[in-house]
Amino acid sequence: EPGFYRIPHQDYHSGPGLSQSMIKALLRSPAHAKVPVEETPAMRFGRAFHTGILEPHLFEEEYVTMPADCRVGSGTGQRGRKEAFEATAAQKGQTIINPEDRDSISAMRDAVFSCPAAAELLQAGERELSGYWWDPIEKDILCRMRIDWLNRDAQILVDLKSTTDARPHAFTRIAYDKGYHIEAAWFLYGTG
């Protein structure tokens, strides 16, 4: 049904509806839109980054790093300790990330919240909302979007993005290549 819901990430991505990522795939070719998207290391990092910024309490529960005594070269029994750690993490539904990614996410969080405007927008609102609507023109098409953060008081959608290069000319190219303009238009279409 049309509306906004808090549903798990995997349920949203496996559920019905046309999304902006499907539209971007369709622009490449219909065949690209039919192929299931395999999760990449960048996608896993992005999900961890979102959790670290928007749900820091969950980040500590859901993401763990391999202890030093489980890493290669840590001595006799390393393989057994590593397998036991991985089994425990899997049982708890935790994702193992490397220490460098954890440190990067922590630094990114500090950078986001050191910006007064960003910190203010993220003080009040709702995180990770899934929105659904029927297309107003093609009325039998269910559309969907996943909003990082909705600040209803300011009437602003916040969409977090990490980048390899924040220089304006470089990020402009990255944003275009990744179709961020399509995503922004889709969000406005769904909330307008």
Side-chain angles (χ1 to χ4, degrees):
E1 289 297 314
F4 288 95
Y5 304 92
R6 291 248 330 138
I7 61 173
H9 167 45
Q10 59 274 18
D11 291 348
Y12 168 79
H13 287 287
S14 64
L18 178 65
S19 69
Q20 56 84 23
S21 59
M22 292 173 174
I23 289 173
K24 289 190 276 190
L26 276 168
L27 289 172
R28 290 182 72 188
S29 77
H32 282 92
K34 291 181 179 180
V35 176
V37 177
E38 295 288 325
E39 187 175 63
T40 65
M43 292 166 83
R44 281 190 295 277
F45 180 85
R47 197 169 63 250
F49 163 68
H50 278 77
T51 305
I53 304 296
L54 302 174
E55 303 172 296
H57 59 289
L58 291 179
F59 182 80
E60 296 304 320
E61 294 172 18
E62 294 178 7
Y63 293 90
V64 293
T65 56
M66 188 79 63
D69 69 342
C70 296
R71 297 186 199 133
V72 174
S74 62
T76 305
Q78 173 270 330
R79 174 181 250 162
R81 290 188 301 272
K82 179 180 183 262
E83 289 172 357
F85 181 81
E86 289 171 338
T88 300
Q91 181 184 19
K92 292 180 177 180
Q94 295 174 315
T95 301
I96 300 170
I97 60 173
N98 65 49
E100 295 79 15
D101 284 349
R102 180 179 278 282
D103 292 345
S104 291
I105 290 167
S106 178
M108 293 162 89
R109 179 175 167 68
D110 291 346
V112 167
F113 283 97
S114 70
C115 172
E120 183 178 339
L121 282 174
L122 296 172
Q123 286 303 311
E126 299 171 78
R127 67 190 180 287
E128 302 294 345
L129 287 175
S130 296
Y132 296 87
W133 71 96
W134 293 104
D135 187 273
I137 298 167
E138 298 294 331
K139 304 211 182 288
D140 60 337
I141 297 177
L142 179 66
C143 301
R144 67 180 177 163
M145 67 180 155
R146 183 95 167 166
I147 299 172
D148 293 345
W149 188 266
L150 175 60
N151 184 316
R152 290 184 196 265
D153 294 339
Q155 296 184 346
I156 292 178
L157 300 174
V158 176
D159 192 40
L160 296 176
K161 299 295 184 202
S162 58
T163 186
T164 55
D165 195 334
R167 294 175 298 167
H169 73 279
F171 185 73
T172 298
R173 178 65 185 196
I174 292 166
Y176 180 80
D177 288 345
K178 293 186 177 283
Y180 293 163
H181 58 294
I182 295 168
E183 190 172 351
W186 189 251
F187 287 170
L188 292 173
Y189 188 57
T191 57

